[in-house]
């Protein structure tokens, strides 16, 4: 019996002490300096690979990289990318129009991952909210920048094997075109 | 003469109401600031310096918000339930003495709106009434969350009414009166908390439960019931619930001060200041608790009320009576 | 029926089934590039290797080359097979370019799928990639030879299956090139199938180039309504516009392929000038107002003063509801065929075609003798020509009677006789196979017909000489089919051909008659139209008399068909109300007093009945609306929020017609607003049985099992119309891409139609002093018609064959019904 009472007392003591220590800890925090960063006054430097506003980059020649292959719009989990592709006079596939609805975008970066030409890239710039939701619908002119973004050297058409930016056989790792009119091996 | 008394009454009521509602409004800000600091944040600091305009901004927002009534709601009950909560909380303040009697032009003016000789019973009766606001609001909303919240609220408030009342019995025994003025006067030598620490703790705990605050906020448990009984309320109707809760906190603080801490009594400072300071200790404690403790489970809540608080309160009454008999010889 | 086990599952398959197909029946898709069920197997790509564990074959074998046999145990997932296939794909990828993002096949590319499923990711070989120069292959097919994996599907289809010679394999070893000797459009009207067939992106759809990925298309089963065959297609739409059509497998109809007319003819639905909102006069109005005004004006007219016109391109739903409306308003006139002769022939066909004689395209492929009677498959129904080639490849003999210089992608015997001689020729061909006793089973009328066949006038000696060897063929054949046109063939031939087919059924294993009809739903139109005596001629006459005051035209354009346009114009001007429902920017639509826009086949569920009486359903592919590129003018689409779809007003014609009918006779409650079939069933007993027809995938034949039509009792000995001296008989004929109405509104088809070309026999040309390739000028009432001339000696004499070409105003020649005087033909060769 006595042992039981001791146990109850100990439990009571431990309960009260536990509560008290909890109260003590919270009270201690009351006097600590808040760690909140005051956003508009202080802007935190973001890592280069943080994911916010999407841009369309250009290749080393200054030509737009996007070939409107529809991979970004296909992979987009919220379907915020839409486009229509077309053919330029030089045979190059390009986006006739390209639209990202940032009101819907969740900045997951799948589009960047899917992009085979490194055209679509996410940048750390996140401050572009608008009161008018239609202003968050960015068109190609709004998205297109005049630099190469993260990998400025890459040029899709140098690897693709289609006769754009040079004839067949003139690109990276290509043999001269087969002459179909000869019998020589 | 009766006319002067009537004017005085109105005047006192106006002053008390203003101070009470003002305090309640700023209590919201204080709570948010304090919670922020407890969590090493700033709390609201955008509206005015240190966010002092925040309550006003909130008020404007609440007033301007659309007043929606859910489909299938009991419209009449839905409209009046929030008022019950706020009214009841405010009415309690009528019996709280906030200073010693003033002598003005030879007249003795009691610094209480109404010195009821059954003041304590009045307090208990009113605080029981606020359960209607909760239960009816929850029922009238025609929403499962509200209904569950309302049921929980009713059960919890009814349960904790008992220890609340029982914890005050020793106070009445000590003071020998139900009048709050008399109770304060009885504490001229020492506050009752010195002789009734157990009653004080029980009252405090029951008061937390009565005001539906953490760790007893099951009726509005956000992560289970959205916002419990006031899920469907918006705009000023929601604001009334909100005001009711914070006025209730203030009033409870004042009651704790009156019953256990000697009311407005205290050295150096004016009596009203003492009362407010003492009364603010309870809200501060409630906020502190909110920052510290998690929510109880429903069975724990009931278990704690019925199996722990009520027996202890009863024992406390017996012990107090025994000691008083023994002292009297 | 061999039983074999594939991946531990047992299956019994018919004899001659390849292992790869047996696996597919189990839902196991063995990877393949070169194998295609339509083309057969060659075993070139080595991709379908599976492990044979037990049975007559052992080890790694190509599943497309081996017939399923009893006791085979096969594993498709054996480690050795997997490894083999992984290596094959890696080899194939050695030279494959890195251009999926700019390749239109990406998204539905077999090579992509196989590469991913085979686990090949990085190219290990670091040498140079082989490259080829691409060719210009016309406006329909884009060539990108670098992508080729040398499965030979293209040349196998193009040369062997379709029978054209201008695309083939060039060069040797690992430089093999698939293309033409020189740049130029592909000659075959089946070239579009290369797009479907190519397992990668060597041949891609040029009109849809860069327009959409497969995953973005709203796709659904549809039908080709450019000719009467009813080929099944899959239409894919994006941004409110059909972009691509592919062949949909229907074993009974088109098999795996469709012709280019069907594949690329869809663009009429997205025509930039397509009228999309209701109009009163030239004022665009809302639906409610337009219908209310139309009903109001119709209600003011007497019961007999309304005529209804439709056409063979309208769906069963449109026709049925229009017929219902015409009855409800008490109209005597319901016309679907503008030419009384065509209407008569259609009536004959509908009454004669039954379960005993009707044959599908698939039956044609199985036939061993095909007798063409006034049919020009390549021009009138291209897929028929493809089926005929398959029959011919399997050993069938093809005999064609036609005055035209026919072309078929197979060998055939051409009897260039004038249409009046078809009956005699046919009779001469087949009569020796009959005997009186067997004919007698079909009753007295059959015997009478047989007697008349025996007593026919003898044919011209030269023709008889050509017929002699063929008669032996007819006697020896087991599965003859008569292919009968409905265009130039006289009504007697249409009727007689069916009787011959029926009688031949007595003496042969299987025989049939295959009609080529004038329009996708000609059979359906005839079902509704045939019973009444009204003709378009009588309608025009009554308009001129003032008896008919209102004309309801549903999905039809009389201006396109009638010869005398001025008369039609004058008649329409006399009308009090011309109510037009259509989806084309046609001449009639422009003249409409009230116009109501209707939905094209892609925008509403609609049914069509093809030439063998097969009811098929095309599902709704997309909601109607102006294609986004037309709204946005190739720029960004407008940045607006709205609830409506721009240009989304068109409604299904049957809904509008039903609404008008109900408004006019105030009976809302009896007929469902959402189902046209109760109304259709009420108008046509045959279709009533298929009331809740949800369409089995291969369609549903609605023809009677045994028709009650009488045997042909007319004159078999039609005398060839002897044109007056110095006159040529004019024969307006169909032309593959240029005649069909819908295709003439299809911008893509307009890109590929050739210039119109007239044909003249060399003797006649000599007589007129004309040479091949001359440009001739024909003097008509108000001016001249110019056309290039081709001189041929493979056609009947005395004919000038002119195409009903959309760039040639053949309608103006109506004044020469009695023959064209030679002196009206001038030479204007520059």
């Amino acid at each position: 019996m006595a042992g039981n009472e001791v146990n109850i007392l100990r439990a009571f003591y431990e309960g009260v002490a536990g509560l008290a220590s909890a109260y003590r800890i919270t009270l201690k925090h009351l006097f600590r300096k808040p760690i909140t960063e005051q956003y508009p006054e202080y802007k935190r430097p973001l890592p280069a690979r943080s994911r916010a506003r999407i841009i369309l980059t250009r290749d080393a020649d200054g030509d737009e990289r996007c070939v409107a292959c529809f991979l970004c719009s296909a992979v987009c989990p919220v379907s915020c990318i839409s486009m229509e592709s077309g053919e330029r006079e030089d045979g190059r596939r390009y986006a006739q129009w390209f639209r990202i609805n940032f009101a819907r975008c969740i900045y997951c970066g799948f589009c960047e991952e899917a992009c085979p030409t490194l055209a679509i890239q996410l940048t750390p710039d996140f401050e572009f909210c608008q009161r008018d939701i239609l202003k968050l619908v960015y068109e190609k002119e709004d998205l297109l920048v005049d630099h190469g973004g993260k990998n400025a050297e890459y040029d899709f058409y140098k690897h693709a094997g289609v006769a754009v930016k040079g004839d067949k056989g003139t690109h990276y790792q290509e043999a001269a075109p087969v002459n179909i009119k000869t019998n020589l091996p | 003469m009766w006319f002067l008394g009537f004017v005085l009454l109105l005047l006192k009521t106006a002053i008390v109401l203003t101070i009470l509602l003002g305090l309640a409004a700023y209590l919201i800000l204080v709570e948010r600031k304090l919670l922020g600091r407890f969590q090493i944040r700033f709390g609201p600091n955008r509206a005015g310096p240190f966010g002092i305009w925040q309550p006003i901004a909130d008020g404007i927002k609440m007033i301007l918000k659309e007043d929606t009534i859910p489909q299938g709601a009991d419209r009449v009950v839905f409209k009046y339930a929030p008022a019950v909560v706020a009214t009841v909380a405010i009415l309690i303040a009528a019996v709280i003495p906030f200073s010693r009697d003033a002598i003005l032009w030879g007249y003795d003016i009691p610094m209480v709106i109404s010195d009821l000789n059954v003041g304590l019973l009045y307090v208990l009766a009113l605080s029981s009434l606020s359960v209607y606001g909760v239960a009816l609001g929850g029922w009238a909303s025609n929403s499962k969350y509200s209904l569950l919240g309302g049921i929980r609220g009713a059960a919890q408030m009814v349960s904790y009414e008992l220890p609340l009342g029982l914890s005050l019995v020793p106070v009445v025994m000590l003071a020998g009166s139900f009048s709050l003025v008399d109770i304060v006067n009885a504490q001229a030598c020492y506050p009752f908390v010195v002789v009734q620490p157990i009653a004080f703790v029980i009252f405090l705990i029951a008061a937390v439960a009565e005001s539906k605050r953490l760790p007893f906020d099951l009726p509005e448990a956000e992560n289970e019931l959205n916002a419990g009984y006031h899920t469907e309320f918006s705009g000023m109707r929601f604001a009334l619930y909100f005001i009711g809760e914070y006025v209730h906190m203030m009033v409870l603080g004042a009651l704790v001060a009156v019953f256990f801490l000697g009311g407005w009594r205290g050295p150096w400072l004016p009596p009203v200041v003492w009362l407010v300071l003492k009364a603010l200790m309870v809200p501060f404690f409630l906020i502190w608790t909110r920052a510290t403790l998690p929510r109880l489970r429903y069975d724990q809540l009931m278990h704690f009320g019925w199996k722990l608080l009520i027996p202890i309160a009863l024992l406390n009454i017996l012990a107090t009576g025994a000691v008083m008999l023994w002292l009297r010889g | 029926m061999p039983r074999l086990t594939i991946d531990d599952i047992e299956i019994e398959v018919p004899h001659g089934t390849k292992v790869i197909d047996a696996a597919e029946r189990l839902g196991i898709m063995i990877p393949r590039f070169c194998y295609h069920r339509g083309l057969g197997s060659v075993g070139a790509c080595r991709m379908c290797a599976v492990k044979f564990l037990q049975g007559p074959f052992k080890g790694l074998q190509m599943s497309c080359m081996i017939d399923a046999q009893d006791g085979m145990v096969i594993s498709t997932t054996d480690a050795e097979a997997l490894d083999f296939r992984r290596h094959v794909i890696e080899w194939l990828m050695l030279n494959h370019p890195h251009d999926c993002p700019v390749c239109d096949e990406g998204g539905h590319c077999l090579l992509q799928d196989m590469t991913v499923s085979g686990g090949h990711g990085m190219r290990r070989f670091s040498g140079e990639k082989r490259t080829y120069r691409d060719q210009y292959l016309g406006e329909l097919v884009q060539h990108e030879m670098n992508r080729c994996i040398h499965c030979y599907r293209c040349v196998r289809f193009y040369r062997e299956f379709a029978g054209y010679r201008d695309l083939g394999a060039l060069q040797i070893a690992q430089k093999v090139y698939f293309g033409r000797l020189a740049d130029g459009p592909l000659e075959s009207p089946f070239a579009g199938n290369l797009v479907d067939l190519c397992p990668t992106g060597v041949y891609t759809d040029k009109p849809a180039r860069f327009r959409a990925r497969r995953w973005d298309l709203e796709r659904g089963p549809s039908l080709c309504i450019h000719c009467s065959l009813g080929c099944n297609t899959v239409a894919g739409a994006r941004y409110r516009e059909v972009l691509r059509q592919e062949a949909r497998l229907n074993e009974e109809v088109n098999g795996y392929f469709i012709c280019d007319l069907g594949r690329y003819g869809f663009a009429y639905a997205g025509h930039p000038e397509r009228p999309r909102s209701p109009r009163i006069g030239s004022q665009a109005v809302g639906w409610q107002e337009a219908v209310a005004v139309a009903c109001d004006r119709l209600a003011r007219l007497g019961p007999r003063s309304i005529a209804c016109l439709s056409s063979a391109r309208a769906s069963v739903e449109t026709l049925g509801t229009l017929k219902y409306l015409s009855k409800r308003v008490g109209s005597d006139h319901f016309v679907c065929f503008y030419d009384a002769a065509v209407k008569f022939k259609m009536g004959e066909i509908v009454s004669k075609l039954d379960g005993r004689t009707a044959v599908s395209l698939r039956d044609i492929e199985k036939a061993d003798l095909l007798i063409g009677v006034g049919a020009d498959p390549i021009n009138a129904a291209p897929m028929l020509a493809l089926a005929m080639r398959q029959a011919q490849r399997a050993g069938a003999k093809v005999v064609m009677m036609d005055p035209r210089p026919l072309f078929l992608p197979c060998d055939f015997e051409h009897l260039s006789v004038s249409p009046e001689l078809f009956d005699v020729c046919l009779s001469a061909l087949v009569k020796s196979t009959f005997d009186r006793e067997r004919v007698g089973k079909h009753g007295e009328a059959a015997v009478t017909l047989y007697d008349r066949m025996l007593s026919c006038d003898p044919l011209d000696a030269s023709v008889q000489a050509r017929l002699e060897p063929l008669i032996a063929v007819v006697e020896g054949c087991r599965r003859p089919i008569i292919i009968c046109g409905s265009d130039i063939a006289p009504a007697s031939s249409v009727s007689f051909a069916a009787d011959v087919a029926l009688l031949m059924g007595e003496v042969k294993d299987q025989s049939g008659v295959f009609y080529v009809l004038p329009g996708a739903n000609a059979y359906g139109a005839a079902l509704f139209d045939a019973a009444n005596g009204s003709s378009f001629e009588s309608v025009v006459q009554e308009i001129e008399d003032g008896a008919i005051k209102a004309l309801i035209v549903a999905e039809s354009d009389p201006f396109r068909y009638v010869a005398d346009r001025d008369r039609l114009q004058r008649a329409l001007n006399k009308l009090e109300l011309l109510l037009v429902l259509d989806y084309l920017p046609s001449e009639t639509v422009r003249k409409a007093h009230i116009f109501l826009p209707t939905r094209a086949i892609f925008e509403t569920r609609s049914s069509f009945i093809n030439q063998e009486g097969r009811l098929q359903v095309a599902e709704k592919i997309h909601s109607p609306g102006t294609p986004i590129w037309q709204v946005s003018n190739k720029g960004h689409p407008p940045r607006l929020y709205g609830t409506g779809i721009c240009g989304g007003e068109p409604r299904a014609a049957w809904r509008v017609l039903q609404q008008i009918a109900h408004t006019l006779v105030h009976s809302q409650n009896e007929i469902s607003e959402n189902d046209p079939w109760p109304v259709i069933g009420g108008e046509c007993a045959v279709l009533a049985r298929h009331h809740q027809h949800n369409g089995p995938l291969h369609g549903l034949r609605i023809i009677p099992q045994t028709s009650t039509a009488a045997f042909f009792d007319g004159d078999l000995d039609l005398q060839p119309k002897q044109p007056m001296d110095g006159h040529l008989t004019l024969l307006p004929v169909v032309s593959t891409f240029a005649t069909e109405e819908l295709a003439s509104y299809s911008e893509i088809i307009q890109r590929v139609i050739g210039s119109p070309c007239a044909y003249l026999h060399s003797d006649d040309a000599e007589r007129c002093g004309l040479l091949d390739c001359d440009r001739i000028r024909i003097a008509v009432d108000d001016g001249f018609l110019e056309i290039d001339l081709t001189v041929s000696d493979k056609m009947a004499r005395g004919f000038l064959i002119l195409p009903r070409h959309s760039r040639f105003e053949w309608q103006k020649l109506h004044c020469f019904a009695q023959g064209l005087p030679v002196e009206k033909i001038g030479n204007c060769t520059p």
Side-chain angles (χ1 to χ4, degrees), chain A residues 33-95:
Chain A
K33 189 174 158 18
I35 56 166
T36 318
E37 283 166 359
Q38 292 294 298
Y39 159 62
E41 294 87 20
Y42 170 75
K43 282 176 182 147
R44 185 182 203 171
L46 289 167
R49 288 174 55 174
S50 50
R51 302 191 308 259
R53 189 166 68 86
I54 298 171
I55 54 169
L56 288 176
T57 58
R58 291 177 186 275
D59 59 24
D61 308 349
D63 211 343
E64 59 187 270
R65 268 177 171 160
C66 175
V67 296
C69 66
F70 294 100
L71 283 181
C72 51
S73 68
V75 80
C76 182
V78 290
S79 302
C80 70
I81 306 178
S82 49
M83 78 193 82
E84 197 149 35
S85 62
E87 191 173 6
R88 235 164 47 180
E89 296 82 53
D90 58 356
R92 202 182 171 290
R93 183 173 169 143
Y94 78 113

Side-chain angles (χ1 to χ4, degrees), chain C residues 298-315:
Chain C
L298 284 174
R300 273 191 264 141
L301 295 166
R304 303 214 175 282
S305 53
I306 300 171
C308 297
L309 296 186
S310 192
S311 70
R313 72 169 154 97
S315 65

Side-chain angles (χ1 to χ4, degrees), chain C residues 324 658 670-672 674-683 688 691-692:
Chain C
Y324 171 76
Q658 204 165 299
E670 57 186 293
I671 300 286
S672 158
N674 292 316
D675 184 8
W677 281 91
V679 164
I680 297 166
E683 295 309 317
H691 185 163
Q692 291 300 327

Side-chain angles (χ1 to χ4, degrees), chain C residues 769-826:
Chain C
L770 294 167
L771 294 171
D772 195 22
C773 299
D774 273 351
R775 192 163 177 81
I776 58 170
R777 169 184 284 177
I778 304 167
V780 289
D781 288 351
D782 50 350
F784 297 97
L785 285 175
E786 285 190 10
I787 189 165
D788 289 326
L789 181 74
T790 302
V791 174
S792 166
D793 50 7
K794 289 182 177 163
M795 59 177 283
R797 289 179 183 78
F799 285 95
L800 176 62
I801 291 167
L802 291 162
R804 293 204 294 268
H805 195 289
S806 56
R807 292 181 193 163
F808 176 69
E809 289 181 88
W810 56 273
Q811 290 95 338
K812 286 191 176 173
L813 294 165
H814 65 91
C815 45
F816 301 123
Q818 301 307 318
L820 175 70
V822 170
E823 59 271 19
K824 292 264 190 185
I825 304 174

Side-chain angles (χ1 to χ4, degrees), chain C residues 32-326:
Chain C
R32 82 281 306 262
F33 289 126
C34 69
Y35 178 73
H36 187 284
R37 210 175 302 135
L39 302 178
S41 33
V42 288
C45 71
R46 318 311 284 170
M47 199 54 201
C48 62
V50 294
K51 184 78 173 271
F52 285 71
L53 303 171
Q54 284 173 35
F57 294 89
K58 287 280 168 58
L60 214 54
Q61 300 284 351
M62 298 308 127
S63 58
C64 74
M65 297 299 285
I66 292 176
D67 286 344
Q69 289 171 35
D70 252 334
M72 281 180 162
V73 176
I74 296 155
S75 166
T76 65
T77 53
D78 186 84
E80 198 187 335
L82 285 182
D83 193 53
F84 182 86
R85 298 206 294 258
R86 194 174 58 77
H87 278 103
V88 170
I89 197 75
E90 188 167 1
W91 292 328
L92 291 177
M93 291 302 288
L94 278 187
N95 285 305
H96 194 79
H98 183 63
D99 62 351
C100 294
V102 293
C103 172
D104 263 332
E105 193 81 358
H108 58 285
C109 175
L110 204 55
L111 183 61
Q112 251 180 1
D113 295 349
M114 294 305 144
T115 309
V116 173
S117 65
H120 176 60
M122 297 298 281
R123 185 175 182 254
R124 289 188 283 168
F125 176 61
S126 59
E128 290 180 329
K129 285 181 179 178
R130 173 192 57 215
T131 60
Y132 297 103
R133 285 192 203 288
D134 308 324
Q135 287 181 332
Y136 169 78
L137 298 181
E139 287 300 316
L140 303 180
V141 178
Q142 177 79 26
H143 196 223
E144 181 70 49
M145 193 50 209
N146 276 5
R147 297 169 184 152
C148 185
I149 56 167
H150 303 97
C151 69
Y152 282 77
R153 270 190 191 182
C154 51
V155 293
R156 279 158 64 211
F157 171 78
Y158 202 86
R159 300 174 77 90
E160 293 170 22
F161 196 90
Y164 286 78
R165 318 298 293 173
D166 60 317
L167 181 106
L170 297 100
Q171 262 289 1
I172 51 164
Q174 79 132 359
K175 297 180 194 163
V176 173
Y177 184 90
F178 297 104
R180 291 165 53 88
L181 274 175
D183 281 13
L186 291 169
E187 286 163 11
S188 167
F190 308 104
N193 290 305
L194 298 180
V195 175
D196 283 1
L197 278 170
C198 181
T200 176
V202 178
Y203 305 97
T204 48
D205 196 320
K206 200 168 194 174
R209 185 160 157 84
F210 297 165
R211 294 297 297 277
R213 293 274 178 223
R214 168 77 75 89
W215 60 68
D216 280 331
L217 293 174
E218 296 171 76
R219 299 172 82 235
S222 190
L223 292 173
C224 164
I225 53 169
H226 298 283
C227 82
S228 59
L229 299 184
C231 295
N232 292 205
T233 65
V234 174
R238 180 163 190 253
Y239 288 151
R240 310 200 288 250
E241 185 185 22
V242 174
L243 294 180
R244 215 152 39 200
Q245 277 209 113
E246 292 151 26
R248 175 160 60 95
L249 172 65
N250 185 332
E251 297 277 7
E252 291 301 314
V253 183
N254 56 318
Y256 291 86
F257 308 106
I258 52 172
C259 70
D260 288 355
L261 183 62
R263 184 180 300 268
Y264 297 106
F266 58 82
Y268 64 88
H271 196 281
E273 283 157 33
R274 174 172 166 188
R276 292 181 187 272
S277 48
R279 276 195 286 110
I280 297 178
S282 56
Q283 185 72 37
V285 294
W287 265 105
Q288 220 170 350
E289 189 187 343
V291 173
V293 172
C295 290
D296 186 47
R297 290 206 205 160
L298 284 174
R300 273 191 264 141
L301 295 166
R304 303 214 175 282
S305 53
I306 300 171
C308 297
L309 296 186
S310 192
S311 70
R313 72 169 154 97
S315 65
V316 172
E317 284 86 347
T318 306
L319 291 166
T321 0
L322 185 66
K323 178 92 189 216
Y324 171 76
L325 172 65
S326 79

Side-chain angles (χ1 to χ4, degrees), chain C residues 38 161 250-257 359-368 370 383-396 479 481 514:
Chain C
F161 196 90
N250 185 332
E251 297 277 7
E252 291 301 314
V253 183
N254 56 318
Y256 291 86
F257 308 106
V359 287
S360 65
L361 275 178
R362 172 48 55 100
D363 295 325
I364 298 247
E365 289 181 8
K366 291 182 194 151
D368 62 356
L370 298 170
M383 281 306 288
L384 172 60
L386 206 57
M388 290 168 73
R389 174 167 169 83
Q390 305 324 307
Q392 203 259 336
R393 280 175 77 199
R479 294 181 303 280
I481 287 174
F514 188 99

